[in-house]
Structure formats: C-alpha cells, structure tokens
Amino acid sequence: MTKRLCIIGSSGFSREVMDVGAAVGYDIFCFADSGSDVDELVGFPVHDDEPETIAALAADGWHFAIGIGGPRLRKKVAEKMADCHFPALIHPGATFGVSQRERIGDIPGIFIAAGVRMTNNIDLGPHCLLNLNVTVGHDTILEPYSAAMPGVNISGNVHVGEGAYLGTGSSVIHGGNDAKLLIGAFATIGAGAVVVRDVEPGVTAVGMPAKPLVRA
C-alpha cells in the first residue's frame, strides 16, 4: 500500500524529515509552504499550506510531518492542524535501551533522527524533535515541542520543559534522583553550551557553564 507524507515547510530540515519518512516506509511526498518561491523540491510538489489545501490532502489520506525546527512555530502548526494525522517518525538507525522503544510507542509527531541513542525510562511528549546523534540518558522527561539539535547530549535525570530548544552540540549534566535538573519551558540553550544547573523558563543560556545571556 502506498504511504504518503506531506511535510509542512520547505527548508533544509524539511528535506531531512523526508529522509526519515522514506526510511520508515513512506513512498510519496509533498511539501506545504505558502512562503515558498518554488513549486517543486527534490522532485516533489510544493503546495500552499492554506486550510483548504491541508483539508483536501487529509481527506485524501495523506499523513503529515512538521519540517520546522523552531518549537514555537512547531506548536503553532500542530495546534492549527490538530485534526490531521502526525505519525511518529523514528529512524531505524536510532537505538534504544531495554523497553524504551515500546515506551515511546507511536507518540504523535515525534521526530527521532539517525544516530539518536536513548537508554531507558525516558518519557517524550508529542512533537518532540531529536536530531542527528542526540543522546538521552535514563529517567529523563522531554515535554511536548522540545527540540534537541544535532550532537546534543542529555544526561540522566533531566527534565526538559515544553518547547525548550537545545542548540547543536550542547550538553546537559545529570540531575539527582530526587530533583531532576530542569530546563524551563521555551528556554534556549546555545550551541556548545554546558548546562550544569537549572535554566529558568524563557531564558537563553550560553557558555561553559551555561549562564543567562545578558544583552547590552
């Protein structure tokens, strides 16, 4: 049976989403982006993302994925398209500890790229994004729309809040059994930063160790 996936967005990341879709068995793709100035991408059509277009695709049996990395925009798109089917896209090159793959199940809209390693007792919310070669340690919670960019390392006993964004190559040191290290909702961790203590919601933290960014 032919499987069809419509990817919202037309950036480079949207093409990486397509790659994972192909790896899990989707055959036909399209992109939806009203802001695009092209009508074709890597041989597949680019449609507008108006509600009428999305509704027609959904009625025709298409599945959907969000090809956008920014958590706030991912959330906006997901809420706007709440009636659409967002499959879990989990690359077969990702690896999991005992029972962890079963624990994830088919959480709507999650994206797990090649090279991701998750150990065990880890919880993910809908539309979480784990990009290439991310590692996630035991007893960690990743709330909906949180995003870890390539090469992020999250140690055990960490709680990543809704929509938090962990930049490329950043690391989060482990929390304790009684009090997980907390990265607040919609916080941003800069590329290469090392988080050793809690980060407040909405804060941008950079450096080694990571500290709140103070603007001049």
Side-chain angles (χ1 to χ4, degrees):
M1 180 178 177
T2 300
K3 297 176 64 178
R4 297 173 294 174
L5 185 67
C6 177
I7 301 161
I8 307 301
S10 58
S11 65
F13 177 61
S14 69
R15 286 182 272 117
E16 294 178 341
V17 171
M18 181 188 66
D19 290 342
V20 177
V24 300
Y26 284 90
D27 308 289
I28 299 175
F29 301 91
C30 72
F31 300 86
D33 184 354
S34 293
S36 177
D37 58 0
V38 299
D39 56 13
E40 184 179 283
L41 194 62
V42 291
F44 295 102
V46 179
H47 304 297
D48 64 64
D49 58 3
E50 297 301 320
E52 297 81 5
T53 302
I54 299 301
L57 290 167
D60 198 32
W62 285 74
H63 294 174
F64 295 86
I66 302 175
I68 300 165
R72 292 185 186 277
L73 190 50
R74 286 175 66 81
K75 181 177 182 179
K76 182 177 179 180
V77 169
E79 291 180 342
K80 181 179 178 182
M81 299 175 57
D83 293 334
C84 296
H85 177 65
F86 289 95
L89 296 181
I90 302 174
H91 195 282
T95 59
F96 304 90
V98 173
S99 300
Q100 182 59 43
R101 178 63 185 87
E102 294 78 10
R103 188 182 185 96
I104 293 173
D106 293 310
I107 298 169
I110 60 171
F111 176 84
I112 298 179
V116 169
R117 172 61 182 173
M118 302 178 71
T119 60
N120 56 69
N121 200 37
I122 299 163
D123 291 323
L124 272 64
H127 297 283
C128 281
L129 188 167
L130 302 180
N131 215 318
L132 296 163
N133 300 318
V134 168
T135 65
V136 185
H138 63 87
D139 302 297
T140 286
I141 299 169
L142 296 119
E143 292 195 20
Y145 309 106
S146 56
M149 294 298 106
V152 166
N153 295 302
I154 304 171
S155 298
N157 284 317
V158 171
H159 187 151
V160 180
E162 178 184 1
Y165 180 94
L166 281 59
T168 299
S170 59
S171 298
V172 184
I173 303 304
H174 62 84
N177 292 324
D178 297 327
K180 297 182 186 297
L181 188 150
L182 176 63
I183 298 177
F186 295 99
T188 297
I189 308 302
V194 178
V195 179
V196 300
R197 59 180 64 86
D198 291 355
V199 177
E200 295 293 323
V203 165
T204 295
V206 299
M208 298 184 290
K211 297 179 180 179
L213 182 65
V214 178
R215 297 188 181 276

